[in-house]
Amino acid sequence: MPSDQRMSYWKKTGFIATVVIVLAFPAYLARKYIERSGPVTKSGPFYTGRASCVECHKKEDDLWAGSHHDLAMDTASASTVLGNFENCEFRHNGQTHRMFRKEGKYFVNTNGPDGKFEDFQVAYTFGYTPLQQYLVPFEGGKLQCLPIAWDTERKRWFHLGDTVYSGQEIKPDNWLYWTNQAQNWNGMCADCHSTNLQKNFDPQTNTYRTTWSEIDVSCEACHGPASGHIEWASLPEGSRLDDVNTGLIVRTRNLDNKELLNVCTRCHSRRSIMSDYDNNNEDLLNYIVPQLIISPVYHADGQILEEDYEYASFTQSKMFEKGIKCNDCHDSHSVKTLKPDNQLCLKCHRPDIYDNSSHHYHKMQVAGAAALINRGKPEYLQGTGSQCVNCHMVGRFYMGNDYRRDHSFRNPRPDLTASIGTPNACNDCHKDKSVKWSRGYIDKWYGTRKRPHYGETFAAANRMDPKAIPDLILYAGNELFPLMVRATAVSLLANFNDSLSRRAMEKALSDPASLVRHSAINGFNQEDIKSFEKLVKPLLNDPVKGIRIEAAIRLSAVPEEQLSDPVKKARREALQEYRDVNLYVSDFPGGRYNLAIMYANAGDLERAAESYRSAIRIDNLFYMAKVNLANVYNQQGKNDEAEKLLREVLNDNPEIHQVCYSLALLLAEKGNIEESRKYFLKAVGLLPEEHRILYNLALLENSQGNKKVAEEYLLKALDKEPGNYDFLYAICTFYLENRMNSKAAFYAGQLAVKYPANPVGKQLQELAGK
């Protein structure tokens, strides 16, 4: 099949794991597979448990006891279960679920894997306040979170689906259903709720043998294994090595704000993960890839939208820029704020300037004041407008009732609400007022002059507006802007295929910041394969694993004979890392999908097909895997199966317009001309920026002898992209075939001028002159 009629991959590179989100729901079978780690037999530092710390660190232990870290997970018992299991009924969507106790154990009667009601034993509690969830063991070592949770504030049961998946009917065959993989504890939640979590997933048997050293987030979850520290502390003071880290392998003292944030970020970030945590302060991208501030996870200006867990928000802030650390506001052991209300902010900000109505223009809070009439969630009381957090840390509810504040510490910007539709603090409280009303007061109090905001540029980039390009380049290349903003700007430059954007991304490939380099290699696209290889090859030896493996998969389709021996070796090693990462996350569809891309690029189509099928078995709505599997089937000559898949995707996802184009290409290859033409024409309307569709339509019409129509489509394609090599070549050969040599000579001349290193243009000129 000609390359110009071969279906393109929906996405050439994978997304390196499913983002880990603590959104749980999940599982069954009264057999306990989750185990504590066995006795340590290997050499090197090992975990000793919290009890070994208390003797010397009682103050810290007292602060930790009862904290959210302490109560992150526990065995279900009378002292840990907060929900009402006294034969309590909960009605939801016309069904009655029952929570009860039997022989000292906790059970729920609810829908099972097939939708029928069964009794499930609760093995563990998960979380403490404002909601507590419950884990149920399933076959194969899985723990799943029930979709019914206990509201610890209102003392009632509620269904997480009402808020997390509002408006969606989640049936048992949907991967979001509580007994399926999206709600699996082992891969989605476990690593941040227990200490020394080892997932131990076996991709061959699809089973887990997950272990921990302590069930909750204990001392060694942050400080690392304590054996070396205990050995250091047991020596007489004069015999101790001069070790600022006192024998611990994780540095937690004398850290700057970036280093301390790295300790917290492995959990307090929305991220993709690459392995079990290996206790180091190295670059984050050696074991996780933090989520950038892009849609649909964040608003265009970087405010939180979906769950994000602080990191990406905080790294946008002036606080972070000025060196503020997590423990400047939060106690590292109790995790509580160091002072209540505005007192916390006034540790640094002058009260005579900021805790004053001349700054916030609101009444001070009065005890017993009535709630505002227009209150929603949260409940704003009269006077709370004077609280710093209500203007600078507006939050959102997650998991139904968990209110989390945005840690980007931003000023209210109703002007951005008006221009790009992002939220603002004023209307978060004053819901009965207009944005114009809020903007009027902000202008009156603080002036009409506003600083340009990257949100405006990011919103334009999301609309594919080329006017965003100069500012994206500015944000990407200027180290004075927050790292998260720079990396996001680089990722958005990938939306554009112009020379300025490409040069900016080429420059970003060698940026000192790993997150910027990762964004560049992840989104980089270069039509000139040789130039692409030259730019990407050095990243195979990047010091950061997340970048090496991205470079490896981008170069994985290059034949071995085209690579030098050192590059072959580097690619082989980086691809092995890529394989290991995706085997680690192969309990989720993203891991299988990424492995399939690697196999397909290596020409192992059968293994690629099986990996795509495995991804679809885990998530039957994973359309990218279906489109790529259709491409593999096409290469294997299984075009009927490919067509069936593409039609299925198009039926389920009519908004995925690229599939319409792919189906048109496949139908053309199968000789179904009428339907192919129909889908090509539909794709032209749905994808006006995809000019190659016009080119493919021209080839189709020319093959049917419709010369006039073919010429019109080729000229339209050239009008859109005058310098496109394929379009120029096609129009030249079209005119030569139809003995219109003068027209052929004109376009052959353009080809020769635009591509002087390619002899084809001159050769066509010679043919046209005969």
Side-chain angles (χ1 to χ4, degrees):
M1 178 178 60
S3 61
D4 53 25
Q5 288 204 330
R6 186 172 294 150
M7 291 187 299
S8 61
Y9 272 125
W10 180 254
K11 190 174 178 65
K12 287 288 186 186
T13 54
F15 42 73
I16 311 180
T18 302
V19 173
V20 178
I21 319 170
V22 187
L23 269 190
F25 285 31
Y28 97 130
L29 209 71
R31 178 178 174 187
K32 184 174 175 181
Y33 285 82
I34 311 301
E35 306 170 354
R36 291 178 177 273
S37 296
V40 176
T41 57
K42 62 180 181 180
S43 60
F46 56 88
Y47 289 81
T48 60
R50 168 187 163 225
S52 64
C53 309
V54 176
E55 181 181 351
C56 297
H57 301 285
K58 187 176 186 309
K59 175 186 174 183
E60 288 78 8
D61 183 72
D62 288 345
L63 287 166
W64 172 85
S67 68
H68 279 269
H69 283 173
D70 177 18
L71 304 171
M73 182 172 168
D74 216 326
T75 303
S77 69
S79 62
T80 61
V81 172
L82 301 179
N84 182 356
F85 280 81
E86 300 303 320
N87 206 29
C88 179
E89 292 186 345
F90 169 67
R91 289 191 59 79
H92 181 261
N93 288 344
Q95 296 182 318
T96 301
H97 309 262
R98 187 167 63 92
M99 294 73 174
F100 62 98
R101 296 176 64 182
K102 184 171 66 177
E103 298 176 355
K105 297 177 181 178
Y106 295 82
F107 292 86
V108 175
N109 179 260
T110 191
N111 313 77
D114 56 2
K116 297 178 182 178
F117 272 65
E118 301 178 47
D119 291 344
F120 298 98
Q121 183 183 341
V122 170
Y124 301 100
T125 62
F126 202 62
Y128 194 69
T129 61
L131 71 156
Q132 186 175 71
Q133 296 175 265
Y134 301 96
L135 301 178
V136 176
F138 265 71
E139 217 168 13
K142 295 200 302 182
L143 284 181
Q144 304 286 129
C145 246
L146 284 162
I148 301 166
W150 180 253
D151 184 330
T152 63
E153 296 175 343
R154 297 186 180 183
K155 309 297 182 188
R156 66 179 181 92
W157 293 103
F158 71 101
H159 199 289
L160 287 161
D162 291 341
T163 52
V164 178
Y165 305 117
S166 179
Q168 299 182 54
E169 184 181 3
I170 308 300
K171 296 181 179 180
D173 63 345
N174 190 313
W175 99 295
L176 296 172
Y177 188 74
W178 79 275
T179 61
N180 295 334
Q181 202 60 23
Q183 313 304 342
N184 169 255
W185 166 88
N186 309 71
M188 292 291 278
C189 326
D191 63 323
C192 287
H193 282 254
S194 299
T195 302
N196 186 27
L197 197 289
Q198 304 292 309
K199 184 168 68 169
N200 293 330
F201 174 71
D202 184 340
Q204 298 300 317
T205 61
N206 291 318
T207 59
Y208 296 92
R209 292 189 63 83
T210 305
T211 66
W212 60 64
S213 58
E214 292 186 272
I215 196 170
D216 50 20
V217 182
S218 195
C219 312
E220 291 165 299
C222 300
H223 294 282
S227 61
H229 172 68
I230 292 173
E231 183 180 346
W232 176 90
S234 65
L235 296 171
E237 286 194 27
S239 302
R240 294 173 183 168
L241 295 174
D242 187 15
D243 178 5
V244 70
N245 213 45
T246 66
L248 292 167
I249 62 172
V250 178
R251 290 179 53 235
T252 53
R253 58 166 58 191
N254 299 332
L255 304 181
D256 62 27
N257 68 331
K258 295 183 180 66
E259 292 170 326
L260 180 59
L261 185 61
N262 279 5
V263 175
C264 307
T265 295
R266 55 173 279 240
C267 287
H268 289 270
S269 63
R270 181 157 177 160
R271 68 215 179 278
S272 301
I273 58 175
M274 291 185 268
S275 66
D276 293 324
Y277 183 56
D278 60 358
N279 296 295
N280 61 59
N281 293 85
E282 295 177 7
D283 196 291
L284 285 174
L285 272 71
N286 279 318
Y287 52 94
I288 66 170
V289 179
Q291 169 68 50
L292 302 178
I293 49 173
I294 56 176
S295 174
V297 183
Y298 293 84
H299 289 286
D301 64 349
Q303 289 189 72
I304 57 174
L305 181 54
E306 295 187 4
E307 289 190 278
D308 94 304
Y309 313 108
E310 294 84 45
Y311 171 79
S313 298
F314 187 48
T315 51
Q316 295 175 65
S317 71
K318 274 192 174 181
M319 306 270 276
F320 184 68
E321 179 190 338
K322 299 295 184 183
I324 297 299
K325 297 185 283 189
C326 306
N327 61 6
D328 285 324
C329 296
H330 297 273
D331 182 89
S332 298
H333 298 94
S334 71
V335 202
K336 295 177 181 177
T337 52
L338 298 174
K339 290 182 179 292
D341 301 325
N342 286 3
Q343 294 177 46
L344 180 64
C345 308
L346 299 178
K347 287 175 60 190
C348 298
H349 298 279
R350 288 176 53 180
D352 58 321
I353 296 176
Y354 296 102
D355 199 23
N356 192 297
S357 59
S358 64
H359 171 68
H360 52 66
Y361 294 93
H362 284 72
K363 297 175 183 177
M364 302 300 286
Q365 190 167 356
V366 179
L372 294 174
I373 295 172
N374 61 313
R375 78 182 190 275
K377 286 289 181 181
E379 296 181 346
Y380 288 112
L381 304 180
Q382 291 179 7
T384 56
S386 63
Q387 294 296 306
C388 307
V389 292
N390 287 338
C391 288
H392 301 291
M393 293 185 72
V394 176
R396 292 178 66 90
F397 279 93
Y398 299 103
M399 304 298 292
N401 71 341
D402 189 2
Y403 188 71
R404 304 178 198 166
R405 293 192 178 274
D406 192 317
H407 279 63
S408 55
F409 301 98
R410 59 185 66 228
N411 292 328
R413 290 288 300 266
D415 61 305
L416 292 180
T417 307
S419 62
I420 60 174
T422 50
N424 72 83
C426 307
N427 292 107
D428 185 64
C429 178
H430 299 281
K431 298 183 188 302
D432 60 337
K433 303 297 183 183
S434 67
V435 174
K436 183 179 179 181
W437 177 88
S438 299
R439 189 173 181 179
Y441 274 102
I442 292 293
D443 289 349
K444 176 183 174 182
W445 294 336
Y446 305 109
T448 58
R449 187 175 181 182
K450 304 292 187 297
R451 292 182 178 180
H453 196 281
Y454 49 84
E456 297 166 299
T457 300
F458 291 176
N462 289 334
R463 298 192 303 269
M464 306 291 286
D465 185 346
K467 293 178 182 176
I469 293 171
D471 283 339
L472 287 175
I473 293 172
L474 173 66
Y475 288 127
N478 192 331
E479 293 185 25
L480 293 178
F481 290 109
L483 173 60
M484 182 55 64
V485 172
R486 295 184 60 224
T488 301
V490 170
S491 74
L492 291 172
L493 279 169
N495 289 349
F496 305 97
N497 196 28
D498 64 293
S499 58
L500 288 175
S501 298
R502 283 197 297 272
R503 281 200 295 272
M505 294 193 73
E506 287 176 16
K507 183 178 179 182
L509 289 170
S510 57
D511 195 273
S514 62
L515 191 59
V516 172
R517 295 199 304 280
H518 185 272
S519 291
I521 182 61
N522 192 45
F524 191 69
N525 186 29
Q526 175 61 267
E527 293 181 0
D528 183 342
I529 299 299
K530 289 186 177 180
S531 297
F532 176 77
E533 291 176 22
K534 183 179 179 182
L535 290 163
V536 173
K537 282 176 185 176
L539 298 179
L540 292 170
N541 293 303
D542 196 279
V544 177
K545 179 166 75 173
I547 295 166
R548 290 195 300 272
I549 65 175
E550 197 65 47
I553 194 60
R554 300 303 298 275
L555 289 172
S556 59
V558 179
E560 283 253 316
E561 59 269 20
Q562 294 183 19
L563 303 175
S564 66
D565 288 343
V567 173
K568 284 180 190 176
K569 181 176 183 292
R571 186 180 70 168
R572 194 177 306 117
E573 292 173 354
L575 275 175
Q576 182 60 48
E577 288 183 301
Y578 177 90
R579 179 178 179 275
D580 291 344
V581 164
N582 286 291
L583 284 173
Y584 176 80
V585 294
S586 62
D587 48 339
F588 287 90
R592 307 281 182 155
Y593 174 83
N594 291 340
L595 288 168
I597 290 172
M598 181 182 73
Y599 295 139
N601 286 353
D604 191 345
L605 297 182
E606 192 47 53
R607 289 183 77 183
E610 180 51 37
S611 291
Y612 283 132
R613 286 191 291 264
S614 295
I616 295 165
R617 281 194 290 270
I618 297 170
D619 178 6
N620 62 7
L621 299 178
F622 191 12
Y623 69 86
M624 291 191 294
K626 291 181 180 181
V627 172
N628 280 14
L629 178 56
N631 184 76
V632 170
Y633 283 157
N634 173 249
Q635 293 178 69
Q636 292 178 318
K638 302 175 181 178
N639 282 346
D640 289 344
E641 293 176 59
E643 180 183 346
K644 181 182 177 182
L645 269 176
L646 290 179
R647 289 186 184 277
E648 179 184 319
V649 172
L650 200 56
N651 182 65
D652 294 340
N653 305 275
E655 74 283 1
I656 311 296
H657 305 321
Q658 188 73 31
V659 180
C660 188
Y661 181 23
S662 296
L663 181 57
L665 288 167
L666 179 65
L667 291 169
E669 184 184 347
K670 291 184 70 177
N672 190 340
I673 302 302
E674 287 304 316
E675 269 213 292
S676 174
R677 181 184 289 117
K678 181 182 81 171
Y679 280 105
F680 271 133
L681 290 170
K682 188 176 180 180
V684 167
L686 295 172
L687 299 164
E689 301 302 315
E690 188 70 70
H691 307 136
R692 197 171 185 85
I693 303 173
L694 295 167
Y695 164 79
N696 290 120
L697 255 173
L699 297 182
L700 179 77
E701 297 297 353
N702 192 48
S703 71
Q704 299 303 300
N706 301 322
K707 306 295 184 183
K708 183 68 176 175
V709 179
E711 180 185 15
E712 288 175 4
Y713 283 135
L714 281 174
L715 291 173
K716 281 182 182 180
L718 266 174
D719 182 59
K720 299 291 186 181
E721 289 185 50
N724 187 291
Y725 177 89
D726 289 339
F727 299 174
L728 285 168
Y729 180 84
I731 196 74
C732 282
T733 54
F734 173 83
Y735 284 135
L736 283 170
E737 288 170 4
N738 290 281
R739 299 184 180 181
M740 297 184 233
N741 286 24
S742 61
K743 290 184 177 182
F746 172 75
Y747 288 106
Q750 288 193 26
L751 200 59
V753 170
K754 293 179 184 296
Y755 298 92
N758 192 325
V760 170
K762 290 182 180 179
Q763 291 169 2
L764 289 172
Q765 279 182 309
E766 291 174 6
L767 287 171
K770 291 180 179 178

